Structures are given as structure tokens and as C-alpha cells.
Amino acid sequence: MDLVSESTTSTPITPPTMSISASATGSSGTVTTPTAATTPSRYENQKRRDWNTFCQYLRNHRPPLSLSLCSGAHVLEFLHYLDQFGKTKVHNHPCPFFGLPNPPAPCPCPLRQAWGSLDALIGRLRAAYEENGGRPETNPFGARAVRIYLRDVRDFQTKARGVSYEKKRKRPKPKMITTTAATAST
């Protein structure tokens, strides 16, 4: 989910560096490394983009904020800011299509960020905060106000869109009867 176009300013996250050892160099002296070690995963790329976006938001905040002064309230401001880039139609209470998953006609209700996108974003930012030196107990992305906000967004979108976000339960694995036990009993 690319929330805002990536900024060209320097970032606090540096890509992992690779050390060149004698075993990694071939006979011609060139470095032979697996591509998995040099290319970050899709998750890591997205986490870096989200972190850069949040840091850019803090720099553009009036007055500019440092990461150490950031709180759960600032994270909520950031989430409200992101709503303007949303692509999910969320019906308001007076809308005749409130609660319908597939409305038959267009309506003027706003586009917002989907709950699942916000939840995943907060998870990535929470991890990025700790990777960049933040302490888990002061992580603003794990603040109680942020958790409550996400729960409220989920509940409202459930009602407004007629889509349930119930947790999927794992089914128990079917018990396999071993052939030795089946043949021994006959």
C-alpha cells in the first residue's frame, strides 16, 4: 500500500550491508552473493516506504516533531491524514446504502482507508519504530489510543459496508488413522 509518493530526502533506515569474505569471492575476485541477501523482501520494502512516509509527515508537521516527542495522538493525526488517500467507500449513517456491501448506485459518501490496510500499516510502523532504536514500551504505534481507534474503525466499517471482519478460526487437523494401527486391529 503506497500511501504517499516516496520522498527523496535521506532516511533513517539504511539497507543491510554485506561483508565480503574470502569465501564469497570467486576466483576472478568478483563478489558472488545470493539475490535474496541483496534484495529486501516485499514486506521490508513496504515497511521502509511507510516509515519514510511517517518521518516525512513528522518533518512537515507544524511545528516539526522529532520522533522522540511523537505520541499516540500524533499517530492518530497521521491516520486521519491518510484517510484522504483512501480508496474504500465508507457509507455514513444517513446514506441509503449504509450497511449494503454492494450499493446499486453511486453516493457522495467519502473514500477512506480500509481497516485492514490501517491495521497492517500500524503493524509495519510498530516494527520499524523498534528497528530504528525505539524502545517497545514507548512505541507510539502500540499506544492504547491507536488500538482503540483501529477497533472503532473496524466496527464502523463493518456496519457501514455490511462486511464482517470476524477472525478466522483455525480448523482442527483431521486425525489420520495410521495403517499399522488399522492392520493390527484386523
Side-chain angles (χ1 to χ4, degrees), residues 90-113:
V90 179
H91 302 287
N92 294 321
H93 284 290
C95 180
F97 305 129
F98 183 83
L100 295 178
N102 298 312
C107 69
C109 294
L111 294 174
R112 303 203 178 222
Q113 290 288 341

Side-chain angles (χ1 to χ4, degrees), residues 172-178:
K173 292 182 181 178
K175 294 182 180 179
M176 305 276 299
I177 298 176
T178 59

